[in-house]
Amino acid sequence: GRDTIAITDGFPGGPPPPAAVPQDTLFARLTHALDSLSAAGQFSGVAVIAKDGVPLYQRAYGQADIAHHRANTVGTVFNIGSINKIFTNIAIHQLVAEGRMSLDSTVGAYWPDYPNAEVAKRVTVRELVEMRSGLGGDVFGAPPGKQPNDIRKLGDFLPLFVNAPPLFPPGTDQKYCNPGYVLLGLLIERVTGESYYDYVREHIYAPAGMTGTAHYAVDSLPPNAAIGYTTSNGDSADSPTRHPNSALLPGRGSSAGGGYSTAGDLARFVEALRERKIPAAPGP
């Protein structure tokens, strides 16, 4: 009579699925694994398992702020890195579904005076979405004469890639591309007339009930935010100890990444996809 969770490979003709694991056994195994990783200093964060939108398992490990001895909790807000790209992808498809954009139109169709004429003329929205644009550049750098922390809006990222040499002709190859997703966010702003941050909050986070998700400025983090740590010193040799990564981050994240969310909000996002609460989002 206990709940069970079965994990299968999902491929027809593949090996038979393993026997279902009783839920309490699965949770005990997961707890043991996470306890071991945490004790070894290899995991700091939150694990959540939910069913039908209801959390069945929640555990937090490690320190959100080492200097102030503040532990992670299930409500801690973390920098989610490139997870933000799925929100940008959905936003583009919402505008396409509304007839306000076309995947096969060029950048120039929505930004006629985009400061790189070749990109405006040749790169399509679809190529940006699929990372086949060939855009170069490094969005983790600093604008001329400034520091990464000086970046506060999407337009501040533009000098970091707008004139970078292309990596390949548009559509001829595929390469993971942060600049392409920053440009998608800028196109969203031009088409909608509102900031990217406001658009995704209203059209994606709100329908999903993601109340703890946002693009916080690096110097205006909420009290429940986790501090990121690194051994990197930028261009110099790595440090033997971990230290806050704040100086290496943009002042505010972008449509390519760097927003903040909770584990619970990300679980709510998955459930919202299953229940099709977010317009034009992919289904389960």
Side-chain angles (χ1 to χ4, degrees), residues 6-18:
I7 302 174
T8 69
D9 63 11
F11 292 98

Side-chain angles (χ1 to χ4, degrees), residues 27-48 57-61:
F27 292 169
R29 291 176 182 175
L30 179 58
T31 298
H32 176 73
L34 293 174
D35 286 348
S36 299
L37 290 170
S38 178
Q42 297 179 357
F43 178 70
S44 176
V46 175
V48 174
Y57 178 97
Q58 298 185 90
R59 289 183 70 91
Y61 292 84

Side-chain angles (χ1 to χ4, degrees), residues 28-241:
R29 291 176 182 175
L30 179 58
T31 298
H32 176 73
L34 293 174
D35 286 348
S36 299
L37 290 170
S38 178
Q42 297 179 357
F43 178 70
S44 176
V46 175
V48 174
I49 296 177
K51 181 179 181 181
D52 298 327
V54 178
L56 303 178
Y57 178 97
Q58 298 185 90
R59 289 183 70 91
Y61 292 84
Q63 298 292 307
D65 185 340
I66 294 174
H68 295 91
H69 307 287
R70 180 164 55 85
N72 284 320
T73 71
V74 294
T76 295
V77 174
F78 295 94
N79 187 314
I80 59 173
S82 282
I83 290 176
N84 285 109
K85 286 185 175 70
I86 183 60
F87 306 142
T88 302
N89 187 306
I90 291 171
I92 290 292
H93 283 88
Q94 287 178 342
L95 296 174
V96 169
E98 294 170 3
R100 302 169 72 183
M101 292 187 77
S102 167
L103 289 174
D104 295 313
S105 291
T106 62
V107 169
Y110 309 105
W111 195 340
D113 57 347
Y114 181 73
N116 186 319
E118 279 299 300
V119 169
K121 180 174 63 176
R122 300 187 59 189
V123 174
T124 67
V125 174
R126 186 186 302 275
E127 288 164 346
L128 293 172
V129 169
E130 297 178 353
M131 299 190 181
R132 301 180 66 85
S133 67
L135 263 62
D138 178 14
V139 300
F140 295 104
K146 298 183 178 181
Q147 299 297 319
N149 280 185
D150 292 322
I151 294 173
R152 297 295 163 135
K153 58 183 186 299
L154 285 193
D156 294 339
F157 287 92
L158 196 59
L160 301 176
F161 65 87
V162 66
N163 291 317
L167 303 179
F168 49 82
T172 64
D173 202 350
Q174 186 177 46
K175 183 176 177 63
Y176 194 88
C177 185
N178 284 302
Y181 266 72
V182 173
L183 181 48
L184 285 171
L186 288 166
L187 292 178
I188 290 167
E189 292 189 336
R190 293 188 70 88
V191 169
T192 64
E194 57 185 307
S195 80
Y196 168 82
Y197 309 113
D198 290 342
Y199 181 89
V200 292
R201 181 175 62 247
E202 178 183 353
H203 296 275
I204 297 173
Y205 305 157
M210 299 167 67
T211 58
T213 302
H215 280 77
Y216 301 113
V218 70
D219 52 5
S220 300
L221 297 177
N224 63 328
I227 306 300
Y229 292 89
T230 182
T231 58
S232 173
N233 284 320
D235 296 332
S236 59
D238 282 359
S239 166
T241 58

